Amino acid sequence: MSLLKPGHRGCAGCCDALAGKFMLDALGEDVIVVSPTGCLEVFTTPYPESAWGVPWVHSLFENAAAVASGVEAALKALGKKNNTKVVAIGGDGATLDIGLQAISGAFERGHDITYICVDNEAYMNTGIQRSGATPLYASTTTSPAGKVSIGNPQHKKNMPAIMAAHGSPYVATASIAYAPDMMKKVKKAAQVKGPTYVHVHAPCCTGWKFEGSKTIEVGRLAVETAMWPLYEMENGEITGVRKIKNRKPVEEYLKVQGRFKHLFGKEDKTEDIKKIQAIADWNAKHFGLE
Amino acid sequence: MRKNMVVVEGSYAVAHAVKVCRPNVISAYPITPQTHIVEDLAQFVADGDMNCEYMNVESEFSAISALIGASAAGARTYSSTTSQGLALMHEVLFNASGMRLPIVMTVVNRALSAPINIWNDQQDSISQRDTGWIQLYAEDVQESADMTPQIYKLAEDEDVLLPAMSCMDGFILSHVYEPVILLEQSLTDEFLPAYNPEFVLDPKNPMSFGAFADPSTYTEFRYKQEKAMGVALKKIEEIANEFKDIYGRYYGGLIDGYVLDDAQIVIIAMGSIIGTIKDTIDELRKEGESVGLLKVRSFRPFPTEAIRKSLKNARVIITLDKNISIGKNEGALCTEIKACLYNTDNRVPVIGFMLGHGGRDIPIHMIKKIINKAKLVEKGIFVESEFADLREDLA
């Protein structure tokens, strides 16, 4: 049985539950997990129950990296570090927005921790509000599409680049739609000494508005369109890229999600979709995906 | 002077006391006037005199957050902060208490901004009153140092398990050089056992910390914190006595009295102002005035019963507060003392004076002025609460 036990309160088709399961499948039992506040935290630990088959701690929304660094320091001080991995797993809001300072501090201090961002591109736990990870033109409850709005006006923050700039020895992007690839990267991140980072793309059926049975399909489209490039960086250099054969146009990815449906209404949004296509084109070129 | 006394800065005495308590993880962020404590600790570590993980974090928020992780992993933990730093920790303070992690922190009391001011008052720790932390206030440097192992023993007691602040007045105590006895390692090892928590983050025995509690379970977490504070009330006295047996020094448990039993006028206060009040009382007693002092050592848990018993003979009670609840026009001690006496037959007037904000000096003549003003109560003039040291040209 998985170390993330059944019976938790995740939605059918939940991306966080898959990410948590794949993470533990990759890491095994000798791990201490830290979660910031978010869906994963809430649905796995309704007191007095817990879905975690490994030691797990949640403190607050913005401090998971600091808590993880304290766990690591304690293990070292008590002579209990051995091979135990300390891993934080948090959402995009906890990572790119409110928790960024604590992550920066922990990475700069060089703790032997792994931080995994499960990026479903908005604050899903509070009801689909935009975050720094929300992509261009996605409609969320705080960046809604409307008569004079085309949805979220900002570009997604490039968090892996920020983490690589901290001198992290290992930074990778992954997707829950590519489980073996994600597990390989999580395992490697945990094995590399020092602060390492894995950014996992995670389509949320509730927030992105698609059927719960399509989570993997949507995740694959993000990779196949180059909206989500899969790559590895070691000491700041790109060392591995998942190539794409026959890259699909971004419309194929956008069309299956309710959060982009305003791009495909009566009004012609071709020019706006081109801007999104340009992001995918940049990714393909920059990371050499083709 | 006792043979084993040395003249050191207050911060050094406290840092040394922390050292002999053998914390496993220290995490702190520099802020005046706390800096000397964490600098001294960093030097102990750098010199190999202290075996611990010393974390230089990027903010007070992360300083205390790191200790949440460290404490949950089974470490004895320490931090120190003040003022803005403590305010920045606010959210995490509730969390540490709710998670029942016995983190110990020295709060070097300082005023809060705006206007920015680095000098002493107690607005910072008083503002954290309801976070579920134990708060003890020290009178002098020796007590600040001695409070350190006492507060570890208290916080880590298996029936308490609450985080705790040892509060010392900024500059007045942290930067003063006084003759003190540095805590002996051997006595401290005898007094303070190693921290061996029952619940820790351990892959061999997985547990979940910081779960989500809905309305059907939340209330009892609060109830149990309150109950633990009740246990702490008893333990503070016991631990103070145990400390006396081993080290030979005693400062009171929950409270302490100074010519209190027969006093008709009783001054109630906390922290370094206690010394000034004692000197004032010595002078007034010589003049035949019936004045005494009640020192509140434990502000949380609040020693309601002990205070009630100690005020049986009081005719007028004066509270001195280095803080204010703006909009209530009184300090926290004033409000608490009034509340403490309300459901009793002892309906003596309680008169509050706020003073010493932002480091304004509190000389003996000011305490005397306050006492004279409070005495007017007997003629029926009632002063509810007021600032004692306003500058008329600026007010």
Side-chain angles (χ1 to χ4, degrees):
Chain A
M1 193 194 285
S2 170
L3 288 164
L4 190 74
K5 311 287 183 192
H8 61 67
R9 297 352 181 218
C11 303
C14 172
C15 55
D16 277 17
L18 288 173
K21 179 186 176 318
F22 297 155
M23 173 187 77
L24 293 184
D25 286 353
L27 296 174
E29 291 181 349
D30 197 4
V31 63
I32 294 173
V33 176
V34 182
S35 291
T37 308
C39 279
L40 183 64
E41 168 263 322
V42 170
F43 75 64
T44 55
T45 63
Y47 181 84
E49 296 166 36
S50 173
W52 294 92
V54 296
W56 175 89
V57 57
H58 157 251
S59 168
L60 296 164
F61 199 5
E62 65 275 53
N63 69 356
V67 173
S69 70
V71 171
E72 186 251 16
L75 294 180
K76 272 163 77 180
L78 298 169
K80 287 163 47 176
K81 180 70 178 70
N82 305 322
N83 292 316
T84 302
K85 310 295 179 197
V86 180
V87 178
I89 179 166
D92 48 288
T95 305
L96 280 72
D97 291 349
I98 198 166
L100 183 59
Q101 176 181 320
I103 296 170
S104 176
F107 272 60
E108 172 251 312
R109 291 192 298 276
H111 295 276
D112 187 20
I113 57 172
T114 295
Y115 192 102
I116 299 171
C117 173
V118 182
D119 180 4
N120 55 23
E121 303 191 326
Y123 292 91
M124 299 314 181
N125 190 42
T126 42
I128 323 164
Q129 295 85 15
R130 79 162 295 283
S131 77
T134 302
L136 190 66
Y137 301 153
S139 182
T140 73
T141 54
T142 52
S143 65
K147 274 183 191 163
V148 294
S149 163
I150 188 165
N152 182 54
Q154 287 94 12
H155 284 267
K156 186 179 179 74
K157 191 188 283 185
N158 189 348
M159 188 68 185
I162 293 169
M163 299 323 293
H166 279 75
S168 168
Y170 184 75
V171 171
T173 61
S175 164
I176 56 159
Y178 295 83
D181 178 72
M182 176 188 160
M183 288 194 279
K184 194 186 83 192
K185 286 168 176 170
V186 167
K187 202 168 183 173
K188 187 167 178 186
Q191 277 164 356
V192 171
K193 216 168 160 41
T196 55
Y197 180 78
V198 182
H199 195 121
V200 182
H201 197 240
C204 166
C205 51
T206 310
W208 297 11
K209 304 199 188 326
F210 59 82
E211 270 185 46
S213 59
K214 307 272 189 205
T215 303
I216 302 299
E217 206 173 296
V218 174
R220 284 188 175 257
L221 282 168
V223 172
E224 288 162 358
T225 55
M227 284 303 288
W228 187 251
L230 296 179
Y231 59 89
E232 289 176 291
M233 293 175 91
E234 288 174 51
N235 300 309
E237 300 295 329
I238 295 172
T239 52
V241 170
R242 188 187 181 90
K243 299 277 185 185
I244 307 169
K245 282 179 204 154
N246 307 319
R247 179 155 63 99
K248 293 176 177 169
V250 293
E251 282 94 334
E252 290 193 30
Y253 172 58
L254 303 176
K255 265 184 180 167
V256 296
Q257 305 173 51
R259 64 176 175 159
F260 291 114
K261 76 169 184 221
H262 56 288
L263 299 180
F264 302 98
K266 281 177 196 158
E267 222 176 304
D268 179 32
K269 301 283 186 192
T270 312
E271 289 306 308
D272 301 303
I273 293 169
K274 274 185 188 166
K275 285 182 190 159
I276 298 176
Q277 184 62 55
I279 297 168
D281 293 347
W282 186 89
N283 284 341
K285 195 178 167 204
H286 181 77
F287 295 103
L289 299 177
E290 290 171 314
Chain B
M1 194 187 283
R2 296 251 310 256
K3 207 169 125 194
N4 50 353
M5 274 189 160
V6 289
V7 176
V8 295
E9 192 191 41
S11 293
Y12 182 87
V14 169
H16 182 275
V18 172
K19 179 173 81 121
V20 297
C21 289
R22 303 184 190 275
N24 307 112
V25 178
I26 295 172
S27 172
Y29 185 82
I31 178 170
T32 303
Q34 153 264 36
T35 41
H36 291 184
I37 293 178
V38 296
E39 288 166 5
D40 289 339
L41 286 167
Q43 194 64 55
F44 291 148
V45 175
D47 292 341
D49 291 338
M50 220 179 152
N51 183 19
C52 78
E53 285 294 316
Y54 184 100
M55 299 173 68
N56 279 309
V57 292
E58 86 295 340
S59 71
E60 286 89 356
F61 197 93
S62 281
I64 189 73
S65 294
L67 296 188
I68 296 247
S71 185
R76 175 172 286 163
T77 57
Y78 178 79
S79 191
S80 177
T81 191
T82 173
S83 180
Q84 309 304 129
L86 188 62
L88 187 58
M89 288 182 180
H90 181 66
E91 184 192 9
V92 198
L93 297 180
F94 282 99
N95 202 247
S97 178
M99 290 174 77
R100 307 297 296 276
L101 299 171
I103 297 163
V104 164
M105 180 157 65
T106 303
V107 174
V108 185
N109 289 110
R110 168 188 146 181
L112 278 163
S113 182
I116 189 164
N117 172 298
I118 59 164
W119 292 272
N120 166 247
D121 66 30
Q122 294 170 344
Q123 191 73 48
D124 53 357
S125 55
I126 292 293
S127 299
Q128 306 304 334
R129 181 187 66 175
D130 298 335
T131 55
W133 281 59
I134 290 164
Q135 284 193 1
L136 304 184
Y137 287 79
E139 170 183 346
D140 57 23
V141 169
Q142 187 72 62
E143 187 181 10
S144 303
D146 292 359
M147 203 173 255
T148 310
Q150 291 190 37
I151 210 161
Y152 267 114
K153 199 177 170 92
L154 175 66
E156 292 172 0
D157 185 289
E158 63 178 6
D159 295 321
V160 176
L161 286 180
L162 289 169
M165 292 176 199
S166 172
C167 303
M168 67 189 294
D169 283 327
F171 292 111
I172 299 168
L173 298 183
S174 63
H175 285 55
V176 74
Y177 279 73
E178 270 186 3
V180 292
I181 298 167
L182 295 174
L183 271 69
E184 298 86 344
Q185 186 67 65
S186 57
L187 295 184
T188 308
D189 287 342
E190 186 188 340
F191 174 76
L192 179 67
Y195 178 47
N196 245 328
E198 187 182 351
F199 307 108
V200 291
L201 292 167
D202 178 6
K204 291 188 194 75
N205 183 21
M207 295 184 199
S208 294
F209 284 65
F212 172 82
D214 70 14
S216 71
T217 57
Y218 183 87
T219 307
E220 287 67 29
F221 283 86
R222 289 289 167 270
Y223 170 75
K224 284 177 184 174
Q225 281 169 281
E226 182 55 43
K227 222 172 136 183
M229 280 285 185
V231 175
L233 274 177
K234 293 191 194 82
K235 297 278 180 181
I236 289 167
E237 295 279 4
E238 283 174 27
I239 288 168
N241 283 314
E242 215 177 306
F243 187 90
K244 186 177 159 191
D245 291 343
I246 290 177
Y247 297 85
R249 295 187 293 276
Y250 181 77
Y251 307 90
L254 296 162
I255 58 171
D256 199 18
Y258 186 72
V259 289
L260 175 63
D261 291 345
D262 67 333
Q264 293 186 359
I265 300 170
V266 176
I267 306 176
I268 307 181
M270 304 193 292
S272 63
I273 194 179
I274 296 295
T276 313
I277 299 169
K278 282 178 179 171
D279 287 350
T280 313
I281 287 173
D282 288 346
E283 287 183 21
L284 291 174
R285 281 273 173 173
K286 277 182 204 148
E287 294 162 21
E289 298 266 18
S290 178
V291 189
L293 166 72
L294 169 63
K295 160 181 159 180
V296 175
R297 196 163 170 265
S298 173
F299 186 63
R300 279 296 177 274
F302 194 76
T304 302
E305 287 306 319
I307 289 173
R308 281 178 180 169
K309 276 184 202 153
S310 71
L311 292 174
K312 290 246 158 74
N313 296 319
R315 299 259 303 274
V316 180
I317 293 166
I318 298 166
T319 57
L320 300 185
D321 274 292
K322 287 185 181 179
N323 69 88
I324 176 173
S325 175
I326 300 162
K328 181 69 172 78
N329 192 37
E330 62 188 35
L333 201 49
C334 178
T335 307
E336 302 261 355
I337 294 294
K338 283 178 182 173
C340 160
L341 294 175
Y342 187 79
N343 285 332
T344 68
D345 299 328
N346 190 3
R347 305 311 285 271
V348 282
V350 176
I351 304 163
F353 292 91
M354 295 166 289
L355 75 179
H357 291 215
R360 186 161 293 181
D361 194 28
I362 305 167
I364 284 178
H365 66 78
M366 186 184 297
I367 310 276
K368 284 183 178 171
K369 200 176 107 186
I370 285 167
I371 292 167
N372 284 333
K373 197 152 191 179
K375 279 182 351 196
L376 296 177
V377 167
E378 289 174 317
K379 293 177 189 161
I381 302 165
F382 195 74
V383 181
E384 185 81 26
S385 174
E386 64 180 23
F387 282 90
D389 54 356
L390 284 181
R391 269 180 61 173
E392 280 176 22
D393 58 330
L394 292 177

